Amino acid sequence: MSESAAIVARNLSRQVEDTEGMLTILDGVDFAIPKGQTAAITGSSGSGKSTLLGLLAGLDMPSSGSVHMLGHDLSVLDEDSRARLRAAHVGFVFQSFQLLPHLTALENVMLPLELAGKPARDPARRMLSRVGLDARLHHYPRTLSGGEQQRVSIARAFVMQPSLLFADEPTGSLDVATGKAVIDLMFALHSEHGATLMLVTHDPGLASRCERQIELVAGRLVRDSGADGVQASG
Ligand SMILES: Nc1ncnc2c1ncn2[C@@H]1O[C@H](COP(=O)(O)OP(=O)(O)OP(=O)(O)O)[C@@H](O)[C@H]1O
Ligand SMILES: [Mg+2]
């Protein structure tokens, strides 16, 4: 089954130590996302959505349970191997953008291409143009608005045409029209390249545009529209 699955989460839990003791942020989350599916992760603030997305993308490691990405068990890979897998397959739009402050918009988007030894300048310009930032190529992040930084972050995630695209509130800082343009771009990447999309969103309209809806409450999966159709384990 892992052959056809983009991501499989099995009994995924994450705990952190805080001043009061152990805090459970995610608790026994199980699901499988088939390749090419579009999935929305919803839930109120603090329910564990960003934590879950980071685990699914291999950016963080669970306290227990496992994530399989394209058939690879992330828990048996070392950090270098996980980084290679991410570089080859994953685009990630962070809720907090995570742009490099000493690089311009264009240089931020060129970076993943350069690291992969690919031509960078023209594809990066084209992607920034698709998110409406032709006039901001040489701006540094601190001189960009929140919505502009978000679009640079989206362009950086898309420019490698990743097969797995994770986006944490990708339209959270955008006005309605720009948000719609960015969402259309994500779904275009999905249909042009068969990319698997996993989106965290508070927007019911965006969630319902996805084939799959997964809802968290206090770190537990309480609703999975695909639970009957897809085996999470086996
Ligand atoms: N490293 C950490 N140490 C302590 N608590 C943490 C840590 N990371 C996350 N948390 C807590 O875990 C809970 C879930 O955080 P997370 O960022 O995943 O929520 P979220 O669903 O993405 O929320 P939002 O919609 O506000 O972005 C929050 O209560 C948060 O304070
Ligand atoms: Mg979050």
Side-chain angles (χ1 to χ4, degrees):
M1 99 123 261
S2 42
E3 282 303 296
S4 63
I7 293 286
V8 181
R10 285 208 187 104
N11 200 19
L12 208 55
S13 296
R14 170 105 163 131
Q15 291 161 329
V16 294
E17 186 93 52
D18 78 352
T19 47
E20 327 254 290
M22 284 303 240
L23 182 69
T24 298
I25 304 178
L26 280 181
D27 193 2
V29 172
D30 265 295
F31 57 79
I33 307 285
K35 281 182 191 165
Q37 192 169 61
T38 55
I41 299 170
T42 63
S44 57
S45 179
S47 58
K49 304 180 298 295
S50 295
T51 303
L52 176 61
L53 211 63
L55 294 177
L56 298 179
L59 296 168
D60 290 308
M61 296 305 282
S63 307
S64 61
S66 66
V67 174
H68 284 67
M69 175 187 289
L70 302 170
H72 300 272
D73 182 351
L74 298 183
S75 65
V76 305
L77 299 181
D78 60 21
E79 175 49 36
D80 280 356
S81 309
R82 284 203 305 277
R84 273 197 299 277
L85 198 61
R86 282 199 305 271
H89 300 291
V90 172
F92 199 100
V93 180
F94 292 91
Q95 190 168 15
S96 52
F97 319 138
Q98 309 260 7
L99 300 176
L100 294 176
H102 57 287
L103 298 182
T104 64
L106 181 60
E107 289 164 349
N108 265 284
V109 179
M110 287 169 62
L111 189 62
L113 294 160
E114 286 173 335
L115 291 174
K118 295 183 175 176
R121 188 166 294 267
D122 288 343
R125 276 177 182 273
R126 275 198 298 277
M127 196 48 83
L128 281 162
S129 176
R130 283 185 82 173
V131 297
L133 288 178
D134 300 271
R136 296 288 183 275
L137 298 181
H138 305 298
H139 283 235
Y140 288 90
R142 68 172 181 283
T143 67
L144 295 169
S145 72
E148 288 168 343
Q149 291 181 52
Q150 186 152 41
R151 284 182 281 157
V152 175
S153 167
I154 287 163
R156 180 181 59 183
F158 282 12
V159 78
M160 295 285 285
Q161 303 187 340
S163 59
L164 302 175
L165 183 58
F166 297 89
D168 197 346
E169 302 271 8
T171 56
S173 299
L174 303 179
D175 59 85
V176 172
T178 311
K180 181 173 184 316
V182 159
I183 291 165
D184 288 345
L185 185 61
M186 280 190 290
F187 280 87
L189 193 74
H190 162 72
S191 47
E192 286 164 28
H193 305 287
T196 307
L197 295 185
M198 270 157 287
L199 312 176
V200 168
T201 185
H202 286 290
D203 175 357
L206 176 53
S208 65
R209 222 175 130 171
C210 293
E211 296 157 331
R212 179 88 169 265
Q213 291 83 31
I214 288 168
E215 185 181 348
L216 296 180
V217 172
R220 286 176 164 274
L221 193 158
V222 296
R223 193 172 72 90
D224 180 354
S225 67
D228 296 336
V230 184
Q231 280 288 25
S233 59

